[in-house]
Amino acid sequence: MRNRTVTSDVETRVERFRQMTDGQLVNRRTFLNVLGVLGVSAGVFRMTPALAQGREIVLVNWGGDAVTAMTEAFAEPFMQADPDHTVYVEGAGPSSGAIKSMVESGAVTWDVADRNIPASLELGRQCLLEEIDYTIVDRSKVRPEHAGQWGVGSYIFSNVICWDTKAFPDWEPTGWADFWNLADYPGTRTLRRHIDGQLEAALMADGVAPADIYPIDVDRALAKIAEIKENTIFWGSGSESQQLFRDREVVMGNMFNTRASVVRRESDAEIEFTYAQGIVWPGAWIVMKGNPAGSAVFDLIASMQDPAAQVVLFELLGNGPVNPEAAAMVPEALKPLDPGSPENYAKQIPADAEWYAENSAEVLNRYIEAIS
């Protein structure tokens, strides 16, 4: 009777595993992590040699369309060139808190994360990241300011104003002051549930000149956000920001140009965006300290510096190529959508990596409290 009870309990937990993974194939690390959550020993399962001995590299990003796009642009070409490794792209969202918890607990399951240069400084100075191995990764394939100690440029992206042209036909916002103008342009807004690119927008809406944004006047920015808080939905993930526009829950939003590009394409430009007063960022690959794949992760990063691969990602997701050699390869029709093109870059303000590295953690807590 006892054996039957144990077997039934295991079967129940295995069924929960199937539900948690939605019946999809998962990599070995995810498999073991989920079993741990369920309290099931891996010994219950017969591990095939391929599963037990596979050489895996896990790239984690922010989910949604970014998973399939990075798989096509980066993971599949790398695996074709190096059949000994399997690259998994996971959309779990590599927040600073998640990375810190993972590294400090010694339970690292990610190898490379999709973040930005400010995050690389913040986390690297806390001894949470491996230094970039520039004997493998090529410094010459990024601008000097994008080759950091703990992070190397992956793509260029921006926080932009996105709007619904059905709500506002024959009109285009000229900057963040229009975004905050609920009287003339009514409707629900969306801002990110994180400070990156939100405080700058608030200050520009309040009349601060782009050249005077940094150091950020946090009190002034939070006070400005409070003015529209009751008319704002705060999004947590890039995919959530897209869905808000797909479902027509909002008429205007501060979102990544990458996500705005996707909804623009899906809606035949009924959802539009502008780089006017955008906040432009260098995305960066960062490597968790003690990552399971070891130095093989730098081979993957080096392969992702290929300009042709970066153009593929831009075509799929809107991430501007960070390798200067890629500019000439961007199709003419898509150049107006490239955040790193000379024309678009001139309309925006570059994010101050040092300010974020020094202030992000403290100010984020204040921001979350203010919008909650």
Side-chain angles (χ1 to χ4, degrees), residues 5-71:
T5 301
V6 171
T7 301
S8 297
D9 184 54
V10 170
E11 289 172 348
T12 298
R13 296 186 185 192
V14 170
E15 179 56 33
R16 285 184 62 201
F17 171 83
R18 293 193 184 99
Q19 294 171 1
M20 290 171 72
T21 59
D22 196 27
Q24 299 177 14
L25 292 175
V26 296
N27 64 63
R28 182 174 181 272
R29 291 184 216 167
T30 301
F31 176 77
L32 294 176
N33 286 345
V34 175
L35 291 187
V37 170
L38 297 176
V40 177
S41 168
V44 170
F45 297 86
R46 292 181 180 272
M47 303 284 282
T48 67
L51 182 60
Q53 299 171 15
R55 300 174 65 192
E56 303 165 356
I57 303 174
V58 175
L59 185 160
V60 61
N61 64 23
W62 298 92
D65 296 303
V67 173
T68 53
M70 288 188 181
T71 297

Side-chain angles (χ1 to χ4, degrees), residues 139-144 146 305 307 310 321-329:
R139 285 181 181 271
S140 71
K141 292 186 178 179
V142 294
R143 296 174 177 87
H146 297 161
Q305 294 184 293
Q310 292 185 9
V322 73
N323 185 335
E325 295 177 9
M329 303 170 67

Side-chain angles (χ1 to χ4, degrees), residues 36 88 121 247 301 322:
Y88 295 97
L121 295 174
D247 295 340
I301 292 174
V322 73

Side-chain angles (χ1 to χ4, degrees), residues 74 78 298-306 309:
F74 298 139
F78 180 79
F298 295 111
D299 294 322
L300 173 62
I301 292 174
S303 76
M304 295 190 292
Q305 294 184 293
D306 175 37

Side-chain angles (χ1 to χ4, degrees), residues 72-262:
E72 181 175 337
F74 298 139
E76 290 175 354
F78 180 79
M79 289 187 288
Q80 290 172 6
D82 183 359
D84 290 337
H85 283 92
T86 301
V87 178
Y88 295 97
V89 180
E90 295 186 354
S95 67
S96 295
I99 291 170
K100 183 178 177 66
S101 175
M102 185 176 285
V103 174
E104 291 185 344
S105 68
V108 179
T109 57
W110 300 334
D111 296 297
V112 56
D114 173 14
R115 288 298 302 268
N116 56 37
I117 293 294
S120 77
L121 295 174
E122 174 197 355
L123 297 171
R125 290 168 182 171
Q126 297 178 60
C127 300
L128 300 173
L129 303 178
E130 300 284 357
E131 293 189 11
I132 301 299
D133 186 346
Y134 286 108
T135 67
I136 300 174
V137 179
D138 191 343
R139 285 181 181 271
S140 71
K141 292 186 178 179
V142 294
R143 296 174 177 87
E145 61 269 27
H146 297 161
Q149 184 175 356
W150 299 283
V152 61
S154 54
Y155 52 80
I156 293 174
F157 68 102
S158 304
N159 286 96
V160 298
I161 303 173
C162 190
W163 76 97
D164 188 335
T165 63
K166 280 193 168 183
F168 307 114
D170 304 317
W171 174 81
E172 178 176 330
T174 58
W176 294 104
D178 289 340
F179 186 97
W180 255 258
N181 186 349
L182 293 169
D184 294 332
Y185 311 110
T188 303
R189 271 53 168 167
T190 185
L191 294 170
R192 189 183 180 192
R193 196 174 176 80
H194 199 285
I195 59 171
D196 295 7
Q198 312 307 299
L199 303 181
E200 295 93 335
L203 290 177
M204 283 186 274
D206 205 37
V208 178
D212 298 329
I213 292 295
Y214 300 103
I216 289 177
D217 184 336
V218 177
D219 291 336
R220 183 173 178 178
L222 293 180
K224 192 65 177 176
I225 289 170
E227 293 179 7
I228 62 170
K229 174 182 171 182
E230 298 305 316
N231 299 90
T232 301
I233 298 172
F234 293 89
W235 57 267
S237 68
S239 56
E240 183 183 354
S241 70
Q242 290 172 258
Q243 199 60 43
L244 288 169
F245 275 98
R246 288 172 179 146
D247 295 340
R248 293 307 208 274
E249 291 189 57
V250 298
V251 298
M252 219 177 294
N254 179 332
M255 63 192 296
F256 299 136
N257 74 288
T258 54
R259 305 295 180 156
S261 294
V262 173

